[in-house]
Amino acid sequence: AVFGLYFPRKEYSENVYIDQPGGTPLLHIHALRDSHGEVAHFHLCQNLIISRARSLENHWFQIREKTGLLYLSKSLDREDFNMLSVGNWMPLSKVMLYVFLSSHPFQEKECDSATRTTVFLSLINGTAPACSSLTARQLCFTEMDLSFHIKENKPPGTFHQLQLPSVHHLCQNLSISYKLLAAEGMPFRYNENTTGVSVTQRLDREERERYELIAKCTVREGFREMQVEVPFLVNVLDEDDSPPFLPNGTDTADAVVEFNRKEGTVLATLTVYDADTTPIYPLESSRKKYTGTIITDDPWISETFRVEHVFDEIHFSPNGSQVRGTQHEY
């Protein structure tokens, strides 16, 4: 099945302050390709969702169709803030936007694309803080954890930008630089010019399911230097691409039945391993994937014996890293 482009994160979040000027960049959203030659187009749709019961037409936020840069199209003034915050006594109000993704330019109001991600914007009842009052952690990273999902067997591409567009825009007299710390041979690259992080090759979940890197940021202001490090995690999403295998190569088992066996006696067992992901829930769908059959022409045998199927999650350790799989026992 062709799934098309996809987002490496389920959700994004950012802060928006009163009177930030129109044109202020807020967030960089990325997409990864399902197959070569796809080009991502981003689109904001529908309304701002304010609370379960309310939504308003979006006048304040726009996204660049080709780059995924979300920005303020007009300044959010006090009146706008009061309208968007549910009761203006709250110091912070959250609104929600959906960003849609397509491999072709969006037609007007085309908002039913299944591929979307959610952006949570925290509207702060106050103007943006001065750069000098922000900690190194606030200057370098948002409150979002740096955790991404990349599908196995897909083309390489850029999936995150370390530099924060809004901070970079506001704090131009500070020097903020990044490094991505990774063990030798990890399939990720950091580009200093764009601050983009890309996956450099197709990943294989059956080889490795999780990569743990560290993003390091250095802030320089005159002679002062501050450093901060945060975890940077990549989880590899599974595709059902590995055939099941038998530990000793045989797919049949012979059962010898002695006289006077009690009901429920186990006569023979057969084990099958599947390195693709863990048992699927609901369990019935895992059961249907493989079936066990007694091969016989004798109706008495079919009535008297049955095959039971149980399965558990197990771990394989290729190259010393733990990968989940399933063990089926018949």
Side-chain angles (χ1 to χ4, degrees), residues 32 73 84 96 101 118 121 136 144 148 150-151 198 201 207 233 256 285 287:
L32 285 168
S73 49
L84 288 169
M96 204 163 90
L101 186 56
T118 310
L121 297 169
M144 292 190 290
F148 306 90
I150 296 180
K151 293 182 182 180
S198 48
Q201 63 189 58
E207 284 293 316
L233 305 174
V256 177
S285 55
R287 275 212 177 82

Side-chain angles (χ1 to χ4, degrees), residues 59-111:
H59 298 292
W60 300 273
F61 306 100
Q62 281 297 325
I63 195 162
R64 299 236 159 90
E65 186 178 340
K66 291 189 172 154
T67 62
L69 182 71
L70 185 76
Y71 62 96
L72 264 174
S73 49
K74 80 190 255 307
S75 185
L76 193 73
D77 61 24
R78 170 71 54 196
E79 207 176 307
D80 296 333
F81 179 85
N82 291 345
M83 184 165 62
L84 288 169
S85 58
V86 190
N88 51 13
W89 50 271
M90 292 172 77
L92 178 147
S93 172
K94 270 201 174 170
V95 298
M96 204 163 90
L97 278 170
Y98 292 125
V99 175
F100 291 82
L101 186 56
S102 170
S103 53
H104 57 82
F106 275 88
Q107 310 307 313
E108 197 50 43
K109 293 272 189 284
E110 179 193 357
C111 293

